[in-house]
């Protein structure tokens, strides 16, 4: 749906900034987006930690 397409896109740096605002400091290089997010919706975003540990954070992209 064209209404769901973003003017810009969400990058791993944007996800890192949102996590930091929520009190979770994560380096943007640990966030593994396959591609920039360009459509509104829910996404599972992997975050790689040291020692091969991967966590998944849920990201909801909504209109502000």
């Amino acid at each position: 749906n064209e209404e769901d397409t973003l003017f810009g896109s969400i990058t791993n740096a944007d996800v890192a900034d949102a996590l930091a605002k929520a009190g979770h400091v994560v380096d943007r290089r640990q966030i593994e987006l396959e591609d920039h997010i360009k459509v509104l919706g829910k996404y599972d975003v992997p975050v790689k930690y040291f020692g091969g540990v991967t966590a998944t954070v849920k990201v909801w992209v909504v209109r502000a």
Side-chain angles (χ1 to χ4, degrees), residues 3-37:
E3 293 177 4
D4 293 340
T5 303
L6 300 173
F7 178 71
S9 62
I10 306 297
T11 66
N12 55 345
D14 296 317
V15 175
D17 289 345
L19 287 170
K21 286 179 185 173
H24 306 284
V25 178
V26 176
D27 188 303
R28 66 179 174 79
R29 293 170 292 191
Q30 293 174 273
I31 298 168
E32 298 198 331
L33 285 177
E34 287 184 24
D35 196 8
H36 294 176
I37 298 172

Side-chain angles (χ1 to χ4, degrees), residues 30-63:
Q30 293 174 273
I31 298 168
E32 298 198 331
L33 285 177
E34 287 184 24
D35 196 8
H36 294 176
I37 298 172
K38 299 176 184 174
V39 178
L40 300 177
K42 295 178 184 178
Y43 297 88
D44 290 332
V45 177
V47 179
K48 292 259 179 163
Y49 288 96
F50 301 105
V53 175
T54 301
T56 301
V57 295
K58 296 225 180 260
V59 175
W60 284 269
V61 180
V62 297
R63 287 213 190 277

